[in-house]
């Protein structure tokens, strides 16, 4: 057990997004003291610091400290606010975006930020830099950028791409210094150069990244709580992969902030007067499992619906999450635009109804309590990933399904093998969850073109595809979100997904840390943080 | 002596070669397509997969890939990490010193604690001291390093506040992780020292030494210790593999950088060049240490040197 626990904590985890953004929380202006060194205990190691190469959320948490983005997202309501772009226009066909850029912004190396630098950044994402990165998927059907004048940039897409405005708030699409890229070559990935409030000083692999204050910083996004340079002199970003170790070092004071604390440790830490526990709900999708509609017996609507009725989400919250989260009823997290808690009505916990549904579909209880139809037992294969976060939920749900006569067989596989098995459609139940600021993430989960990617339900439904495409092209925000709610209703009626529990980020900060905030996907915004003894 | 060394080296080469073949083969025979693995974080299209596959030249026959790997490895080029895009040799050079430091400290603790416990136990066989020493040793062997590490953090960092729990730099940050590995290892050494000592103490020359009227201290330290040490030196060499494996857990628990962390990341990412590099370098280290062990025998016991030289 300890070894498995250990492995769970040291493994990279599915999560998608990063961005600079924040909330202007109206609060009395306390004179925050400048200076000091903040030590941050991070759960995950990074792969690179190059925003165009990385595939890890762990890296993007650091990117937001030293990069800015064209726009930012208000975590309160998901609305898009000015960042390095002061204003912008979208063409009626949703294929062209025009950004009017802020002046007098400089990269850490002194290079001025302008439309040409932004074009350079977007164009670089298109060049092969090794494994295709999240930057490439964020920029979508990018065609080209055009420098209209030094401070006006026109970005064109091959197809209408409504999610782009929120994607432009993600740090992998933030501007990087063209001169630094040319001068540094391969070394750019070790010490990248952006425009943000901190500067990368040093990355010691497997140990820490050190960032120092950018003294020239005068272009904080409107959502920030202050203007001018950051308060902290230095951030030491340490990789402390083990959850028990993070719990220990936040108590000894070796670190000022420890992220992703184990849910089991929270109650104990809350008794410690030196530590505050902060909770955030990242935008994206909840912990969710999906039935494979292309492999029997989950091809049957009755079986899929019955499984939905069999799952007691409250029990999962209590047992696995120690009460630190809540049941999920939407395909999106509550902080994501388009959130619609429809499963409450369409797929509630109701074991009696589950049994009735199966009875009516001809699945009759067999000798061992497992239902049988046409000589076949009601067996469902759940291929769950090692260290993917579902390993404690899986046996619990297995027991719940058994109550109504379903036999869920659990097979654990390393994540990479799980992905392959999912792509080959070998599973009945798959799992995936995301951090993502836009409901377009549903295209990743349910569109025919994602069958090769993360389409766990193996859904290839023309009606769903058409609605997803339409939503991705809509520029009117209100109508667009209405359509995403409609899509969710359709998917719940098809029983194509079971959201289980909302994702919740739990962070411990010591009492001297002031001004700590989460961005829209609960990454830390350290720009406004100060240390006050 | 030189001939002896040459012989040992000649024997070591095929071992290293064999390791490289096995490592290369195993990685390529495991299930899981490396290209798909690399793309699993991104929502890749089949075209992107094909593009990357061609770029990495996984389509060449395995033998061709291996020949390429070996030719480069011979000149110290272990390829480039798929994820960090840095030369594997640089990645390893970054991590190796930290692990060497940890391993050296662990061995020092193991030998010091093991020798003391073992000798104490052997000098008073079946006394309470013997029983206690062996009980401690048994505890050390049975305690998983994961658990012991967290216990030490709990006791010395959290409760007593004497030592930092994590990080790098300075002996204070080295003690807890080194003790975590070293104590388990000390247990093995202690049991071995005890039995080896008991055996040596039963020899006639010990009786002679005592009969000459030598002080007990001189008998133990001068006449018995050297002879009792040979199996201890052997076990240190043999156990080095376990010790390196132990660093994987310990480096993670104590958030230290090092080869263990590198190995874990490489395996989880299926970063083929990095896995090959880490295993190859570890195997080289293993062979090297065993070579040193062989050489040290000849220093401790001249009879071995003469036998080797004559053959």
């Amino acid at each position: 057990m300890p070894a498995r626990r250990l492995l769970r904590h040291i493994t990279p985890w599915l999560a998608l997004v990063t961005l600079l953004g924040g909330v202007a929380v109206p609060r009395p202006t306390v004179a925050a003291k400048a200076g000091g060194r903040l030590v941050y205990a991070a759960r995950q190691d990074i792969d690179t610091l190059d925003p165009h190469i990385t595939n890890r959320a762990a890296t993007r948490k650091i990117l937001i400290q030293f990069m800015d983005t064209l726009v930012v997202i208000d975590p309160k309501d998901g609305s898009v606010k000015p960042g390095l772009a002061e204003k912008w226009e979208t063409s009626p066909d949703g294929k062209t975006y025009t950004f009017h850029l802020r002046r007098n912004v400089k990269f850490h190396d002194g290079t001025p930020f302008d439309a040409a630098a932004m074009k350079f950044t977007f164009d670089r994402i298109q060049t092969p830099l090794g494994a295709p990165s999240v930057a490439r998927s964020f920029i979508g059907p990018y065609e080209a950028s055009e420098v209209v004048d030094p401070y006006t940039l026109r970005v064109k897409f091959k197809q209408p791409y409504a999610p782009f405005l929120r994607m432009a708030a993600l740090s992998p699409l933030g501007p990087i210094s063209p001169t630094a890229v040319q001068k540094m070559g391969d070394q750019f990935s070790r010490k990248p150069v952006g425009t943000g409030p901190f500067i990368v000083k040093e990355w010691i692999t497997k140990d820490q990244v050190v960032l120092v204050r950018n003294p020239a910083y005068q272009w904080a996004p409107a959502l920030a709580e202050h203007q001018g340079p950051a308060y902290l002199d230095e951030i030491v970003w340490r990789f402390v992969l083990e959850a028990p170790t993070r719990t220990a070092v936040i108590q000894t004071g070796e670190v000022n902030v420890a992220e992703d604390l184990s849910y089991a440790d929270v109650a104990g830490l809350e008794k410690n007067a030196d530590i505050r526990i902060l909770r955030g709900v990242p935008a994206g999708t909840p912990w969710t499992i999906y039935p494979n509609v292309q492999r029997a017996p989950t091809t049957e609507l009755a079986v899929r619906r019955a499984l939905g009725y069999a799952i007691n989400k409250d029990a999962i919250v209590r047992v696995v999450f120690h009460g630190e989260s809540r049941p999920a009823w939407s395909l999106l997290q509550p902080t994501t635009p388009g959130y619609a808690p429809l499963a409450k009505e369409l797929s509630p916990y109701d074991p009696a109804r589950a049994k009735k549904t199966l009875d009516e579909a001809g699945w009759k209880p067999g000798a061992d309590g497992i239902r049988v139809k046409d000589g076949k037992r009601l067996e469902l294969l759940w291929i769950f990933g090692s260290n993917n976060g579902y390993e404690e939920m899986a046996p619990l749900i297995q027991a719940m399904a058994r109550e109504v006569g379903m036999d869920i067989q659990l097979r654990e596989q390393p994540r990479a093998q799980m992905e392959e098995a999912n792509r080959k459609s070998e599973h009945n139940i798959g799992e995936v969850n995301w951090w993502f600021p836009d409901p377009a993430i549903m295209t990743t989960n349910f569109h025919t073109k994602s069958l090769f990617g993360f389409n766990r339900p193996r859904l290839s439904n023309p009606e769903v595809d058409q609605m997803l495409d339409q939503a991705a092209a809509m520029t009117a925000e209100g109508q667009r979100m209405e359509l995403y709610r409609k899509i969710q209703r359709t998917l719940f009626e098809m029983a194509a997904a079971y959201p289980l529990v909302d994702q919740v980020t739990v962070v411990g900060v010591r009492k001297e840390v002031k001004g700590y905030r989460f961005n829209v996907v609960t990454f830390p915004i350290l720009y406004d943080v100060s240390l006050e003894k | 002596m030189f001939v002896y060394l040459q012989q040992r080296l000649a024997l070591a080469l095929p071992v290293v070669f064999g390791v490289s073949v096995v490592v290369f083969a195993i990685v390529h025979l495991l299930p899981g397509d490396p290209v798909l693995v690399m793309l699993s974080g991104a929502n890749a299209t089949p075209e992107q997969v094909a593009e990357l596959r061609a770029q990495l030249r996984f389509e060449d026959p395995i033998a061709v890939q291996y020949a390429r790997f070996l030719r480069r490895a011979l000149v110290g080029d272990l390829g480039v990490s798929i994820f960090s895009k840095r030369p594997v040799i640089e990645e390893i050079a970054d991590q190796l010193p930290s692990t060497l430091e940890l391993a050296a400290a662990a061995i020092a603790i193991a030998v010091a604690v093991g020798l003391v416990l073992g000798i104490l136990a052997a000098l008073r066989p079946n006394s309470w001291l013997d029983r206690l020493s062996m009980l401690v040793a048994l505890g050390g062997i049975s305690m998983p390093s994961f658990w012991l590490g967290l216990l030490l953090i709990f006791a010395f960092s959290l409760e007593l506040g004497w030592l930092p729990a994590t990080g790098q730099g300075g002996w204070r940050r080295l003690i807890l992780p080194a003790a975590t590995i070293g104590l388990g290892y000390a247990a093995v050494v202690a049991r071995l020292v005890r039995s080896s000592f008991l055996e040596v103490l039963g020899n006639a020359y010990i009786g002679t030494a005592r009969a000459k009227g030598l002080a007990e201290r001189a008998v133990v330290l001068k006449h018995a210790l050297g002879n009792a040490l040979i199996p201890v030196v052997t076990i240190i060499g043999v156990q080095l593999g376990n010790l390196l494996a132990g660093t994987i857990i310990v480096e993670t628990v104590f958030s230290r950088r090092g080869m263990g962390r590198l190995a874990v990341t490489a395996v989880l990412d299926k970063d083929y060049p990095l896995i090959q590099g880490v295993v190859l370098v570890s195997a080289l280290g293993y062979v090297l240490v065993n070579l040193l062990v062989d050489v040290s025998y000849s220093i401790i016991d001249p009879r071995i040197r003469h036998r080797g030289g004559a053959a």
Side-chain angles (χ1 to χ4, degrees):
Chain A
M1 183 61 193
R4 268 192 49 195
R5 231 176 112 81
L6 167 75
L7 277 170
R8 184 166 76 241
H9 294 301
I10 59 185
T11 316
W13 184 34
L14 277 185
L16 245 196
V17 161
T18 183
L19 55 156
L20 184 77
V23 179
V25 179
R27 54 166 210 166
T29 2
V30 186
K33 270 183 257 154
R37 172 172 173 268
L38 179 129
V39 184
Y40 186 98
R43 179 176 62 88
Q44 232 190 317
D45 209 340
I46 58 173
D47 49 354
T48 171
L49 281 173
D50 189 319
H52 300 163
I53 295 177
T54 185
N55 262 320
R56 283 194 196 159
T59 297
R60 296 193 289 275
K61 287 178 189 171
I62 304 178
L63 295 184
I64 69 170
Q65 316 306 334
F66 70 86
M67 293 181 71
D68 288 316
T69 46
L70 285 177
V71 294
V72 295
I73 297 174
D74 189 334
K76 258 191 324 205
D77 55 9
S79 62
V80 180
K81 299 278 164 65
L84 290 179
E86 287 171 326
K87 51 189 183 11
W88 54 88
E89 295 106 38
T90 311
S91 69
D93 66 358
K95 282 159 91 170
T96 306
Y97 291 78
T98 308
F99 292 97
H100 302 276
L101 306 180
R102 204 170 166 140
R103 283 151 205 252
N104 302 318
V105 174
K106 281 190 163 52
F107 291 101
H108 303 148
D109 62 353
T111 308
F113 162 75
D114 56 15
M118 206 61 240
K119 175 180 161 53
F120 171 85
T121 300
F122 287 157
D123 286 348
R124 182 174 182 259
I125 296 171
Q126 299 304 305
T127 60
L129 297 162
S133 59
V134 284
R136 183 96 73 103
S137 57
F138 290 166
I139 206 166
Y142 177 79
E143 189 176 352
S145 295
E146 181 195 331
V147 178
V148 179
D149 66 51
Y151 294 99
T152 309
L153 182 77
R154 195 167 291 150
V155 185
K156 290 188 180 138
F157 293 90
K158 293 175 194 136
Q159 294 125 41
Y161 186 47
F164 180 63
L165 214 47
R166 283 199 182 78
M167 297 301 105
L170 309 181
S171 56
L173 302 193
I176 51 172
S177 163
T179 41
V181 170
Q182 274 141 21
K183 213 158 56 190
M184 295 168 78
D186 284 352
Q187 286 304 302
F188 186 80
S189 64
R190 314 248 348 138
K191 247 185 114 177
V193 176
T195 62
F198 294 95
I199 301 172
V200 179
K201 184 182 163 201
E202 184 182 24
W203 169 21
I204 307 168
T205 39
K206 312 281 163 209
D207 187 16
Q208 60 187 34
V209 174
V210 181
L211 302 130
V212 293
R213 171 169 46 202
N214 175 5
Y217 194 72
Q218 295 295 343
W219 44 86
L223 286 172
E225 283 184 40
H226 81 288
Q227 290 292 313
Y231 297 128
L232 296 169
D233 290 331
E234 194 175 88
I235 301 168
V236 178
W237 192 279
R238 287 186 46 199
F239 309 119
V240 183
L241 310 189
E242 264 303 286
T245 312
R246 285 196 301 280
T247 300
V249 289
I250 189 72
Q251 293 180 82
T252 62
E254 273 171 65
V255 303
N256 306 94
V257 180
E259 68 171 13
D260 291 343
L261 296 168
S262 157
Y263 294 119
D265 291 341
V266 169
L269 286 172
E270 268 182 327
K271 293 189 192 114
N272 188 330
D274 292 335
I275 295 166
R276 280 186 303 142
I277 300 291
L278 306 178
R279 294 169 179 82
V281 179
T285 66
W287 298 101
T288 308
I289 55 175
Y290 304 80
N292 181 352
V293 302
Q294 290 192 20
R295 186 180 191 269
T298 36
T299 40
E300 265 184 63
L301 181 62
V303 171
R304 297 203 301 270
R305 284 200 172 143
L307 179 56
Y309 300 141
I311 299 173
N312 180 351
K313 301 174 188 182
D314 287 305
I316 302 174
V317 168
R318 220 168 39 241
V319 175
V320 179
F321 293 84
H322 296 260
E324 291 289 330
S325 187
R326 347 175 248 197
W329 301 109
S330 168
L331 294 177
L332 300 167
Q333 289 267 100
T335 43
T336 318
Y339 171 76
L342 298 167
K344 216 168 203 160
E345 158 215 342
L346 296 173
S347 183
Y349 171 53
D350 188 346
R353 199 158 150 197
K355 287 178 193 162
K356 191 163 158 266
T357 309
L358 289 171
D359 280 338
E360 285 166 4
W363 291 96
K364 303 293 178 200
D368 58 352
I370 300 301
R371 288 167 189 267
V372 183
K373 181 161 105 174
D374 304 332
K376 281 205 145 175
R377 286 177 92 244
L378 187 46
E379 288 174 0
L380 279 68
L381 174 65
W382 181 347
I383 300 177
F384 68 99
S386 306
N387 330 307
N388 204 22
Y390 289 84
E391 52 271 60
E392 283 181 51
M393 289 185 249
L396 211 59
I397 292 171
Q398 180 184 43
M400 291 168 187
R402 181 165 281 275
E403 291 290 308
V404 302
M406 288 180 169
D407 183 12
I408 295 184
Q409 292 166 356
L410 300 177
R411 185 194 295 166
E412 179 168 3
Q413 292 205 325
R415 276 238 337 262
Q417 268 98 302
M418 176 191 80
E419 294 292 346
E420 259 188 273
N422 283 174
R423 274 164 204 161
K424 290 184 189 149
S425 199
E426 289 168 3
H427 61 296
N428 287 115
I429 300 175
E431 59 194 35
V432 74
N433 50 285
W434 302 103
W435 293 342
F436 204 75
D438 194 279
I441 190 66
M442 284 164 61
T443 301
T444 304
N445 288 343
F446 298 104
H447 198 285
T448 301
K449 69 185 182 194
S450 306
L451 280 175
F452 189 74
F454 295 98
N455 185 337
R456 302 287 195 237
R458 312 299 302 165
L459 198 65
S460 181
N461 181 300
E463 188 200 351
V464 172
D465 285 355
Q466 189 264 330
M467 284 195 288
L468 287 169
D469 288 339
Q470 196 189 339
M474 279 169 101
T475 46
E477 178 94 348
Q479 287 171 25
R480 184 167 175 247
M481 295 314 156
E482 211 34 68
L483 184 53
Y484 276 117
R485 289 192 189 97
K486 195 177 148 203
I487 297 171
Q488 289 182 71
R489 180 171 287 280
T490 307
L491 289 168
F492 280 129
E493 279 164 358
M494 296 165 63
Y498 315 106
L500 301 173
V501 177
D502 285 337
Q503 296 194 65
V504 174
T505 303
V506 179
V507 171
V509 302
R510 290 188 66 84
K511 62 170 191 273
E512 67 274 11
V513 177
K514 299 286 187 289
Y516 187 97
R517 287 181 301 131
F518 291 117
N519 83 352
V520 67
V521 287
T522 63
F523 293 174
I525 300 172
L526 298 180
Y527 167 65
D528 287 317
V529 167
S530 60
L531 296 173
E532 288 159 34
K533 295 283 169 186
Chain B
M1 179 73 190
F2 187 66
V3 176
Y4 175 73
L5 201 62
Q6 270 182 327
Q7 281 174 345
R8 293 280 127 191
L9 270 173
L11 280 175
L13 272 179
V15 175
V16 175
F17 177 76
V19 166
S20 76
V21 173
V22 169
V23 165
F24 187 84
I26 286 175
V27 165
H28 280 263
L29 293 175
L30 278 175
D33 179 338
V35 175
L36 289 184
V37 171
M38 277 180 258
L39 299 182
S40 62
N43 215 348
T45 63
E47 294 80 51
Q48 284 172 310
V49 172
E51 180 190 325
L52 188 68
R53 206 183 290 281
Q55 195 181 320
L56 293 169
R57 297 171 71 184
F58 282 130
E59 271 157 5
D60 288 347
I62 291 270
V64 174
Q65 290 188 47
Y66 176 71
R68 192 162 59 218
F69 164 72
L70 199 65
R71 201 169 53 236
R72 289 177 181 165
L74 285 176
V75 293
D77 176 4
L78 297 174
V80 175
S81 157
I82 286 166
F83 281 88
S84 73
K85 310 275 184 288
R86 295 176 71 215
V88 167
I89 200 82
E90 272 181 36
E91 291 278 0
I92 291 173
D94 269 1
Q95 306 301 329
L96 195 57
S98 172
T99 297
L100 290 183
E101 182 188 62
L102 179 61
I107 290 175
I109 289 178
V111 171
V113 175
L115 270 182
V116 170
L117 281 184
I119 294 176
L120 285 178
L123 290 180
R124 304 267 180 279
N126 300 320
S127 68
W128 65 268
L129 195 63
D130 179 19
R131 298 233 167 82
L132 185 69
S133 302
M134 287 307 109
L135 193 71
V136 171
L138 192 67
I141 292 173
S142 348
M143 187 101 72
S145 60
F146 174 81
W147 177 240
L148 181 61
L150 287 177
L151 271 188
L152 290 179
I153 289 181
F154 181 76
F156 292 98
S157 302
L158 218 50
E159 291 301 312
L160 298 170
W162 291 352
L163 294 165
T166 57
Q168 219 82 36
W171 62 271
R172 295 185 67 237
R173 292 186 190 276
L174 191 57
I175 290 181
L176 292 184
T180 305
I181 302 178
L183 290 179
Y185 211 30
V188 177
V189 173
R191 294 186 71 87
L192 203 74
V193 168
R194 178 182 180 273
S195 55
S196 165
F197 235 83
L198 282 175
E199 198 186 310
V200 169
L201 286 177
N203 278 334
Y205 65 87
I206 297 293
T208 312
R210 286 195 176 123
K212 283 199 299 190
L214 280 182
E216 187 63 18
R217 174 194 288 263
V219 173
V220 170
L221 294 182
K222 252 182 152 166
H223 293 260
L225 187 62
N227 287 302
L229 269 186
I230 290 178
V232 176
V233 172
T234 310
I235 204 76
I236 287 176
V238 173
Q239 288 272 317
L240 190 85
N242 289 342
L243 191 138
L244 286 179
T247 63
I248 293 179
I249 304 280
V250 167
E251 284 172 358
T252 304
V253 169
F254 290 93
S255 307
R256 281 180 65 85
R257 57 207 313 249
M259 293 290 282
R261 286 274 297 279
L262 193 63
V264 169
T265 325
V267 170
L268 290 178
D269 290 346
K270 292 213 182 167
D271 193 333
Y272 283 21
L274 199 53
I275 295 175
Q276 289 164 337
V278 168
V279 176
L280 208 63
V281 168
S282 306
L284 274 180
Y286 192 79
V287 169
L288 191 71
V289 167
N290 278 288
L291 202 65
L292 289 177
V293 167
D294 283 349
V295 173
S296 67
Y297 287 159
S298 63
I299 295 168
I300 299 172
D301 185 349
R303 285 171 302 180
I304 293 173
R305 178 168 58 219
H306 296 318
R307 260 208 315 272

